[in-house]
């Protein structure tokens, strides 16, 4: 396969500021375990307090960028993946560029005057909770996407992945890519990403749903999606099925919904049927943190998908990648994958 730039991601590049914190810290800033939210006024002092009180690590992150980096790592083919998003002209932005380059991802960042976005990763008992301060990431404009050198990445790619978080930034950019994918029979995928996206960006999400060939998410997001749409079911299998049967903009690909449930089996809905795939069990003492677990799952999944592998292989690779990532701090991985 001609794999150069086969997979393109777009999203919010964020520098993760990760620390193991305590329950008091979560209470003080009203942070719920295993959630993902955007920073509000009350969170402003949190970043400084984290860095002064706890031992922090800085890791290049952002949901889509994590998935693309993991896909790149799994593929081990330089330049197979590309990525667009907005960073600041500062040391965090430089760090991001270096990190992406080392990972072998072809990044075309838009560089804004605002500071590079950050994400506080609060880890307690291995569970992560995210508070994102988008800053420069929030400044991505569709004009950047339309520049010939950037649109060329869109034309070259055959698979697209965008986390739902990007709906808060540039729905216009998402729509352009989605329509291109539908017109050219390419594969477009998105992630539900967070309960607040399903809830407060429902209209934006619904507008692009018909274009999604793959919908990823976790059980909490799926249940929120169901509630917001008045489906009156908490059953993840039923919800996955209903999402897969949502009307499509193009008939080339059927929609497949893939919902992860932590240590419980992965739910895959396609063709009116649901399949369950067990995940790789991990003893509690080996869990470092769940930061990037869902992103890594998608990255592993996409790495097989772009090679035309069957869904069960994609799920297996997703489970492998997330298993590797939860045994390390943040979305990081060893030099070479060991996936058969």
């Amino acid at each position: 396969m001609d794999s150069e730039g086969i997979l393109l991601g777009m999203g919010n590049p964020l520098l993760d500021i990760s620390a193991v914190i305590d329950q008091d810290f979560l209470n003080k800033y009203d942070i719920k375990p295993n959630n993902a939210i955007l920073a509000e006024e009350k969170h402003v002092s949190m970043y400084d307090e984290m860095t002064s009180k706890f031992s922090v690590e800085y890791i290049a992150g952002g949901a889509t960028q994590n998935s693309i980096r993991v896909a790149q790592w799994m593929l081990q083919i330089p330049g197979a993946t590309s990525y667009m998003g907005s960073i600041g002209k500062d040391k965090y932005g430089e760090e991001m560029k270096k990190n992406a380059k080392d990972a072998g991802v072809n990044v075309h960042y838009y560089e804004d005057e605002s500071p590079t976005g950050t994400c506080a990763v609060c880890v307690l008992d291995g569970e992560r909770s995210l508070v994102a301060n988008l800053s420069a990431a929030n400044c991505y404009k569709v004009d950047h996407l339309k520049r010939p050198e950037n649109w060329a990445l869109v034309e070259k790619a055959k698979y697209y992945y965008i986390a739902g978080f990007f709906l808060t930034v540039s729905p216009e950019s998402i729509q352009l890519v989605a329509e291109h994918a539908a017109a050219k029979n390419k594969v477009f995928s998105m992630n539900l990403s967070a309960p607040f996206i399903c809830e407060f960006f429902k209209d934006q999400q619904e507008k692009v749903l018909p274009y999604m060939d793959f919908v990823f998410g976790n059980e909490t997001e799926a249940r929120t999606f169901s509630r917001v749409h008045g489906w009156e079911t908490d059953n993840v299998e039923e919800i996955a099925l209903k999402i897969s049967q949502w009307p499509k903009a193009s008939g080339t690909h059927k929609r497949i919904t893939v919902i992860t449930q932590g240590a419980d089996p992965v739910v895959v809905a396609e063709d009116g049927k649901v399949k369950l795939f067990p995940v790789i069990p991990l003893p509690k003492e080996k869990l470092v943190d769940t930061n990037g677990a869902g992103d890594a799952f998608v990255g592993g999944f996409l790495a097989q998908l772009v090679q035309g592998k069957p869904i069960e292989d994609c799920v297996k690779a997703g489970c492998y990648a997330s298993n590797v990532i939860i045994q390390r701090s943040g979305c990081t991985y060893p030099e070479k994958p060991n996936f058969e």
Side-chain angles (χ1 to χ4, degrees):
M1 68 173 197
D2 173 28
S3 53
E4 197 198 335
I6 191 164
L7 172 64
L8 169 66
M10 293 184 79
N12 302 334
L14 302 172
L15 191 76
D16 282 354
I17 304 174
S18 178
V20 175
I21 46 83
D22 51 34
Q23 189 60 51
D24 291 346
F25 187 83
L26 289 186
N27 297 347
K28 178 175 176 182
Y29 291 104
D30 191 24
I31 299 166
K32 294 177 183 57
N34 204 18
N35 199 1
I37 59 172
L38 292 178
E40 295 168 40
E41 204 59 50
K42 64 183 175 193
H43 300 114
V44 174
S45 61
M46 187 177 121
Y47 297 82
D48 285 342
E49 184 175 337
M50 242 177 117
T51 30
S52 62
K53 235 188 198 167
F54 307 101
S55 141
V56 302
E57 281 182 282
Y58 294 93
I59 306 160
T64 309
Q65 186 163 246
N66 282 344
S67 296
I68 297 295
R69 274 177 37 226
V70 170
Q72 178 62 49
W73 170 67
M74 291 283 287
L75 284 164
Q76 292 285 311
I77 306 165
T81 61
S82 21
Y83 173 81
M84 282 187 260
S86 175
I87 58 173
K89 303 172 182 171
D90 51 20
K91 65 172 197 293
Y92 288 168
E94 286 307 315
E95 179 67 27
M96 204 82 85
K97 276 192 246 182
K98 183 185 167 307
N99 192 283
K101 209 167 142 193
D102 291 348
V105 179
N106 174 19
V107 291
H108 284 213
Y109 293 123
Y110 168 70
E111 295 186 31
D112 191 70
E113 297 308 325
S114 338
T116 295
T118 49
C119 181
V121 180
C122 308
V123 179
L124 187 61
D125 299 330
E127 290 283 350
R128 61 92 180 122
S129 201
L130 310 176
V131 184
N133 179 10
L134 296 181
S135 227
N138 208 18
C139 302
Y140 191 84
K141 302 279 183 295
V142 74
D143 310 352
H144 179 261
L145 174 64
K146 289 176 173 169
R147 284 186 208 157
E149 68 275 21
N150 299 329
W151 189 252
L153 297 180
V154 178
E155 304 245 298
K156 189 173 256 183
K158 300 204 167 37
Y159 295 82
Y160 305 92
Y161 174 67
I162 302 175
F165 294 120
F166 203 53
L167 287 166
T168 73
V169 174
S170 188
E172 219 183 324
S173 300
I174 299 177
Q175 202 65 28
L176 268 188
V177 173
E179 286 168 8
H180 167 85
K184 303 279 190 222
N185 297 334
K186 296 173 175 184
V187 177
F188 181 81
S189 52
M190 281 191 77
N191 203 309
L192 300 176
S193 288
F196 85 87
I197 298 286
C198 303
E199 208 156 351
F200 303 111
F201 293 84
K202 176 175 179 252
D203 298 350
Q204 293 89 326
Q205 195 178 50
E206 280 183 3
K207 191 173 176 208
V208 75
L209 227 165
Y211 295 92
M212 297 181 205
D213 300 309
F214 284 85
V215 176
F216 295 98
N218 68 25
E219 76 280 38
T220 321
E221 295 148 11
R223 290 187 173 120
T224 305
F225 188 95
S226 170
R227 179 171 55 76
V228 167
H229 289 88
W231 287 351
E232 295 183 357
T233 176
D234 253 356
N235 180 313
V236 175
E237 296 174 40
E238 271 179 56
I239 298 164
L241 208 49
K242 288 183 87 120
I243 293 174
S244 72
Q245 290 163 338
W246 194 282
K248 282 201 90 243
S250 114
T252 316
H253 310 286
K254 54 191 180 192
R255 182 180 304 107
I256 299 178
T257 311
V258 184
I259 306 292
T260 58
Q261 312 186 82
D264 293 327
V266 178
V267 176
V268 176
E270 65 171 315
D271 284 340
K273 291 188 283 292
V274 172
K275 280 193 187 134
L276 297 178
F277 298 90
V279 303
I280 307 162
L282 184 76
K284 186 83 172 124
E285 64 274 11
K286 281 197 164 172
L287 172 72
V288 175
D289 68 53
T290 56
N291 183 25
D295 304 336
F297 174 86
V298 174
F301 188 103
L302 293 171
Q304 297 299 304
L305 188 71
V306 304
Q307 298 179 70
K309 298 282 172 62
I311 295 299
E312 58 210 82
D313 292 4
C314 298
V315 173
K316 208 186 233 169
C319 292
Y320 164 77
S322 58
N323 183 265
V324 168
I325 264 98
I326 60 178
Q327 297 181 61
R328 302 166 70 95
S329 177
C331 195
T332 61
Y333 38 77
E335 198 184 333
K336 291 264 192 295
N338 170 22
F339 175 72
E340 291 309 321

